Amino acid sequence: MAFVEPITLKSRGLALVPLALAHEDGLRAAAADGELWKLRVTSVPEPQDTRAYIETALKTTDRFAFAVTEEATGTVLGSTSFHDILPAVKRVEIGYTWYAKRCQRTHVNTTCKLLMLTHAFDTLGCNVVGWRTDNFNHASQRAIERLGAKKDGVIRGHAMRRDGTIRDTVMYSLRAGEWPEVRAQLLSLLDKPRN
């Protein structure tokens, strides 16, 4: 039995469903909203690479990918994953996260993270959940910090970007003991009226 089993997570009008080839057209459309593949600090697939992106996600053994969808319509809004899954130490990372431009700075990311953190800590019994992001992806760093994660440090010269440059990777984590306070904060953020 795998540590992370296929599951659908739902809340506040969103459904995180196991990523499948059937999501190809929806992912392509979500990425086109803002031409997200043009951002050098993300892993968003170019339109012609969407199927390969899904196939890679499905065959990677330490990754479980979701399509982020509107629950009522099934419209694909983006994707996110558990990855670098370490069952022996009960650790997962959350990443490969991106949303259509129209979903950014809405409740979508906070809801998805609440769902994934709840599953990681309350169902899987994780000791720690981690995140990593490009050192130049300041929006991602702010979003991770807003969730309540702590910055662990920077791994220099860690990974290749799509443009061939080498990135430094900023690492974050959240420990199980910090989860109750973070959950309360995320629920408070979601219940706050948005302008």
Side-chain angles (χ1 to χ4, degrees):
M1 184 168 99
F3 183 59
V4 178
E5 294 285 333
I7 189 166
T8 296
L9 305 172
K10 296 180 182 180
S11 183
R12 299 178 188 254
L14 299 179
L16 278 63
V17 299
L19 185 64
L21 290 173
H23 296 116
E24 181 178 357
D25 290 341
L27 276 184
R28 189 179 295 113
D33 181 3
E35 296 183 328
L36 302 176
W37 61 88
K38 291 183 177 179
L39 300 172
R40 70 187 282 263
V41 294
T42 69
S43 62
V44 180
E46 294 186 38
Q48 70 275 10
D49 298 330
T50 304
R51 185 175 190 85
Y53 177 87
I54 296 169
E55 289 170 343
T56 297
L58 295 178
K59 71 180 179 186
T60 303
T61 57
D62 68 344
R63 180 177 174 193
F64 184 82
F66 294 97
V68 178
T69 66
E70 289 180 345
E71 186 177 4
T73 65
T75 301
V76 177
L77 306 175
S79 184
T80 191
S81 297
F82 287 122
H83 67 94
D84 284 75
I85 299 166
L86 301 172
V89 295
K90 293 191 172 184
R91 175 186 166 93
V92 298
E93 291 188 33
I94 296 175
Y96 297 92
T97 302
W98 58 270
Y99 309 106
K101 187 173 183 178
R102 71 183 180 282
C103 300
Q104 296 171 14
R105 302 191 55 78
T106 69
H107 78 290
V108 171
N109 186 55
T110 305
T111 300
C112 289
K113 294 309 182 290
L114 179 63
L115 285 167
M116 294 177 80
L117 288 166
T118 300
H119 186 69
F121 287 120
D122 298 348
T123 302
L124 301 177
C126 285
N127 295 314
V128 66
V129 173
W131 291 263
R132 61 181 72 186
T133 189
D134 189 295
N135 63 306
F136 285 118
N137 193 340
H138 302 292
S140 178
Q141 291 174 50
R142 284 190 303 274
I144 293 167
E145 290 168 4
R146 186 171 155 260
L147 295 170
K150 305 290 187 254
K151 185 175 180 179
D152 295 322
V154 178
I155 302 174
R156 298 181 63 185
H158 182 245
M160 296 289 288
R161 293 186 186 98
R162 70 173 72 230
D163 65 2
T165 58
I166 299 173
R167 83 175 200 185
D168 294 346
T169 299
V170 185
M171 302 293 293
Y172 291 89
S173 66
L174 180 68
R175 297 182 59 90
E178 299 163 333
W179 169 230
E181 182 62 26
V182 167
R183 179 200 331 251
Q185 177 62 15
L186 293 177
L187 288 169
S188 175
L189 286 171
L190 285 168
D191 290 338
K192 188 187 318 182
R194 292 188 176 260
N195 296 336

